[in-house]
Amino acid sequence: MSRLTDLSLREARGGLTRRSFSARELTEAHIKACEAARPLNAYMAETFDQALAMADESDRRIKAGQGRLLEGMPLGIKDLFCTKGVASTACSKILKGFKPPYESTVTAKLWEAGAVMVGKTSMDEFAMGSSNMTSCYGAVTNPWRRKGDNRPLVPGGSSGGSAAAVAARTCLGATGTDTGGSIRQPAAFCGLVGLKPTYGRCSRWGIIAFASSLDQAGPIARSVHDCALLLQGMAGYDRKDSTSVDKPVPDYTTVLSGSVKGLKVGVPEEYLVEGMPDEIDELWQKGIAWFRAAGAQVIDIKLPHTKYALPTYYIIAPAECSSNLARYDGVRFGLREKGGDLTELYSNTRAAGFGAEVRRRILIGTYVLSAGYYDAYYLKAQKVRARIAGDFREAFKQVDIVLTPTAPSPAFGIGEMMDDPIAMYLNDVFTVPASLAGLPAMSVPAGLSGDGLPLGLQLIGRPFDEETVLRAGGFLETAAQFTAKPAWLEGGHA
Amino acid sequence: MSAIVQGATGPFEMVIGLEVHAQVISRAKLFSGASTAFGAEPNTQVSFVDAGMPGMLPVINGVCVEQAVKTGLALNAEINLVSVFDRKNYFYPDLPAGYQISQYSQPIVGKGVVTIDLPDGTAKSIGITRLHLEMDAGKSVHDIRADATHVDLNRAGIALMEIVSEPDIRSPEEAGAYVRKLRSLLRYIDTCDGNMEEGSMRCDVNVSVRRPGEKFGTRCEIKNVNSVRFVMRAIEYEAARQVAVIEGGGTIAQETRLFDSQKGETRPMRSKEEAHDYRYFPDPDLLPLRLDAKWVDGIKAALPELPDARKERFVRDFGLSPYDSSVLVTEKENAAYFETVAKGRDGKMAANWVITELFGVLNKQGLDVSKSPVSAAALGGLIDRIKDNTISGRIAKDVFEIMVETGKDADSIIEEKGLRQVTDTGAIEAEIDKIIVGNADKVAQFRSGKEALKGWFVGQVMKATSGKANPAAVNAILDKKLKG
């Protein structure tokens, strides 16, 4: 029998139902994997005792024939989710030691569905970053290595800990959050499937806010089917989040086997950006060919405002973050640095508590909202955002789904690009437009780069049409036959 | 106090606008389910949202929205079917999230108008610029320890309506009348208790001065004035100060000031240069607030009778003067008291008794009408005894005093004290005869043309009857006897 940690979530469910193994055994296997994977630094907190208790409860349920959707499934939870009594810090020094007395809606739903928490995964501080380098707990290492090159790579970000944890088989799936690509890009960097649902599909209640109009929770897993199961457990209306949408949650797994014959797949010419490596374009062309071969109709579309997406995002997201992060002031919780007066208390606390990238974005956000600049930056950005959403609306009159690359490069080396924030921001060039438009989008591993690193293709769907995204993703997954494994699993990290 | 400040170089006119923060009556806060009850132990009515905990989100309280719409309708204002909540960003320990959720560019209520009644009997319209909903901040307590500030978040998140007037007010009296009228309206519709001592109504006062006919001068904003009297005094002081600055060759700096009620003066708080940049932007946690026009119509239809309508009804149905009527309707409890007294009786007489006698006693004792020692029914009973000639109006005042002291009703007092009016013309005639006989000289003077002496004779009769003689009977008999 293969190791329990090699099972997909779907397979593990089957195994538990058939009683091939117990939930406790499954969790113990993943705990062992977590312990072995500590050098990757994917978790900022391990919750093994809690995990075992949850697994035992799952075994009781299974025995009683009361197994639920995600019964006994060991998961990693991004540190942006508030988990009751467990450290929830957004990987920021300013929240070190913070244990909330409440549980986020999304994680509460997962526990109600029977899932098991093995630990909290690391991330870029306050979800700001594309490399997981800005976590106050230090860099996370990608389980993948370039062929013949043992230098450590980043797992992507901001949900880099979640991606590394899933890729290293320390959990069957993980939660992520995506503001401008924070689920999709790390999924692509780690050879995983990552789904950002439609804005409003999952409740934001209890998720530490970065940019409220963009933040959305979603799953990272090793297959499209696993993502569908996890989304099923996470999604749903929540009256505690005024921006969540009261629409029924369909059964996502039933749509997966559907054919893509006749599906209209849009290919936007604007995503062919300058300086993009040929191998990314080649993969994209491959994806197009797979769809065409399966009877899908491939249509060239125009998304003319795409080139403004990145600057628009880097105005709106910092603006919202500058306001959202004002509450970390040393007065009620988290870090407090003494000061001679109130202003000093604030500035000492915030200077000591926030890392450089967070400070940079707070400054940008404060600037673009200031009197005299608001119209030129924030208001203009909102108008452009509406145009970008309009581009998609137009396109979706013609097509059912949009196919693009997920990121302009494979995983890069730890420490690279750290002195060049603009180059770092360019990582989000393909993921940010769907975020600004609030659309569901998924990255599916579709091939390897020349030096053996995973590359992802992105599928963007209509609002609340996660089903078509999953169906097309399921097809892509089958067509790509992505079976490569990270060096970590082959004992390849020296 | 007057509308004109007489400077050394000529007269100046005051230009005043008010921003009134009225705490909304609702059991829960504007964006959380925490209780709003006044006077609880510090930090016992605080939800995770109110405390600005990570990941917490605001959810609008529909009751507060309804209250704001109700108030807007009572202010004869436009109700905006789409309004937007914005964040007003600033750092302060009693503002946990680091921003106040307010409404900036698209408030829930637009332009309206309030009519104020002035003591000279005239009425004036004061424009309402807008009303918006916002959350209150907590309280910083600085006097528990010298080296620390304590924060009480019970108030944080309670709904406020900020009601902004146009700069239509021209004198401290008008400002006072405006605040009282606003308070009256809010109490009629139960959207704010108007209790200024507890801080559930607070005023920011904008004051500028100009020479008559000139354009508006630079204004100063006096923050957080917490009584009608202080509003009036602050304006008086501030206008005089500004005139003195201008006449001294200076210019008025736009600034925020506070009113020191001990010294009766205003002092600068912060100048424009130090003013916050609040970085307003739409709160991404809240969707625009959309109201259904039919729902608004329903609220409008269910509004109770408002002070202006009631005032007109009192004028029409009871024949009261507009001013007396406005005095009676200001507090809805007073109006209800008056209506009970006036029902089936002479309205003008009832109004006189309520305004002069009853309000006189209540003012002296510092009571409001709900604590009145004389009930409306009892006062009505007293008026009935005047009307049916059991007692005279003068005796009635004595009876009323005893009613106030003892709480007894008019009839038992009249019986106990034997105050029943003498209407027996025989008895009155006998007394008059005695007086005529004993004062032949005065009778002669009267008959020779000094008719003013009649008052003296009336007084003698009243003295002899301890005031109980029916004045009409006394007059009639005296006329007959004196003219001989």
Side-chain angles (χ1 to χ4, degrees), chain A residues 102 204 206 323-324 327 332 346 371, chain B residues 51 53-55 87 89 96 277:
Chain A
Y102 45 86
R204 292 185 298 113
S323 175
N324 282 335
R327 66 189 60 200
R332 295 167 316 286
Y346 286 151
Chain B
M53 300 292 275
R87 291 186 184 178
N89 296 282
D277 180 351

Side-chain angles (χ1 to χ4, degrees), chain A residues 113-322:
Chain A
V116 167
M117 174 165 71
V118 292
K120 301 288 290 283
T121 57
S122 187
M123 52 183 276
D124 281 299
E125 184 181 5
F126 279 104
M128 298 174 197
S130 309
S131 66
N132 219 111
M133 295 294 292
T134 69
S135 165
C136 75
Y137 304 103
V140 173
T141 304
N142 192 329
W144 291 79
R145 291 277 150 101
R146 292 186 187 107
K147 227 170 3 191
D149 181 346
N150 206 28
R151 282 176 301 176
L153 305 175
V154 303
S158 67
S159 311
S162 290
V166 177
R169 275 48 172 181
T170 65
C171 53
L172 292 173
T175 63
T177 63
D178 190 316
T179 304
S182 282
I183 286 175
R184 291 161 284 165
Q185 184 253 21
F189 277 19
C190 294
L192 302 167
V193 182
L195 171 59
K196 179 197 92 73
T198 312
Y199 183 79
R201 189 42 113 180
C202 294
S203 169
R204 292 185 298 113
W205 193 89
I207 299 174
I208 299 172
F210 160 20
S212 312
S213 74
L214 296 155
D215 296 345
Q216 184 61 205
I220 294 176
R222 293 195 292 270
S223 77
V224 173
H225 192 106
D226 290 0
C227 266
L229 282 166
L230 288 170
L231 179 62
Q232 191 84 33
M234 296 166 74
Y237 171 65
D238 179 8
R239 58 168 298 280
K240 291 188 288 185
D241 173 4
S242 307
T243 62
S244 85
V245 176
D246 194 0
K247 275 182 186 282
V249 178
D251 183 345
Y252 291 120
T253 54
T254 60
V255 302
L256 291 174
S257 50
S259 129
V260 295
K261 195 165 178 345
L263 189 76
K264 291 178 183 143
V265 179
V267 177
E269 61 184 37
E270 292 80 5
Y271 280 60
L272 194 62
V273 297
E274 210 175 304
M276 185 168 83
D278 288 343
E279 59 189 10
I280 304 245
D281 186 27
E282 282 158 18
L283 182 75
W284 191 13
Q285 298 311 319
K286 230 188 233 174
I288 293 168
W290 292 330
F291 273 105
R292 200 172 270 139
Q297 195 184 337
V298 174
I299 298 169
D300 289 332
I301 56 165
K302 283 195 165 45
L303 299 170
H305 296 91
T306 298
K307 62 173 174 288
Y308 305 114
L310 211 51
T312 298
Y313 175 84
Y314 277 100
I315 288 169
I316 290 171
E320 293 180 8
C321 106
S322 73

Side-chain angles (χ1 to χ4, degrees), chain A residues 4-5 7-17 21-31 50-63 66-76 109-118 170-173 230:
Chain A
L4 291 179
T5 52
L7 299 174
S8 72
L9 191 144
R10 181 193 196 180
E11 291 161 346
R13 265 181 104 218
L16 279 183
T17 313
F21 45 84
S22 70
R24 190 177 179 93
E25 286 167 329
L26 184 65
T27 293
E28 277 171 345
H30 283 95
I31 288 174
Q50 197 170 331
L52 290 170
M54 290 168 109
D56 288 344
E57 169 62 16
S58 288
D59 280 330
R60 270 192 295 278
R61 291 244 183 192
I62 292 165
K63 227 177 234 168
Q66 295 166 345
R68 296 161 292 181
L69 179 74
L70 298 170
E71 199 67 68
M73 298 295 108
L75 302 181
K109 286 174 85 82
L110 289 172
W111 314 144
E112 277 157 29
V116 167
M117 174 165 71
V118 292
T170 65
C171 53
L172 292 173
L230 288 170

Side-chain angles (χ1 to χ4, degrees), chain B residues 104-147:
Chain B
Y104 184 55
S105 55
Q106 296 185 67
I108 185 165
V109 175
K111 284 195 181 304
V113 66
V114 163
T115 307
I116 58 170
D117 294 289
L118 300 167
D120 66 4
T122 60
K124 180 173 175 176
S125 292
I126 306 295
I128 298 292
T129 312
R130 57 186 281 165
L131 174 155
H132 67 254
L133 275 171
E134 62 185 27
M135 52 183 259
D136 208 343
K139 265 185 196 153
S140 293
V141 186
H142 302 288
D143 52 6
I144 296 177
R145 256 171 56 184
D147 62 339

Side-chain angles (χ1 to χ4, degrees), chain A residues 338-356:
Chain A
K338 286 208 169 85
D341 59 18
L342 184 60
T343 308
E344 266 186 29
L345 170 88
Y346 286 151
S347 46
N348 292 349
T349 299
R350 290 166 66 82
F354 291 135

Side-chain angles (χ1 to χ4, degrees), chain B residues 226-285:
Chain B
N226 62 3
S227 83
V228 174
R229 201 159 54 91
F230 292 163
V231 166
M232 296 169 72
R233 279 176 56 196
I235 293 169
E236 190 84 352
Y237 176 90
E238 179 59 19
R241 183 191 73 84
Q242 292 184 12
V243 167
V245 169
I246 293 167
E247 291 196 321
T251 49
I252 302 299
Q254 185 174 339
E255 62 185 2
T256 304
R257 302 175 70 86
L258 58 83
F259 178 65
D260 181 335
S261 59
Q262 302 278 310
K263 295 187 178 151
E265 61 181 32
T266 67
R267 282 199 302 273
M269 267 171 83
R270 52 174 186 254
S271 69
K272 202 183 173 187
E273 290 76 57
E274 306 161 47
H276 290 295
D277 180 351
Y278 291 119
R279 293 173 283 125
Y280 284 99
F281 75 108
D283 191 331
D285 287 333

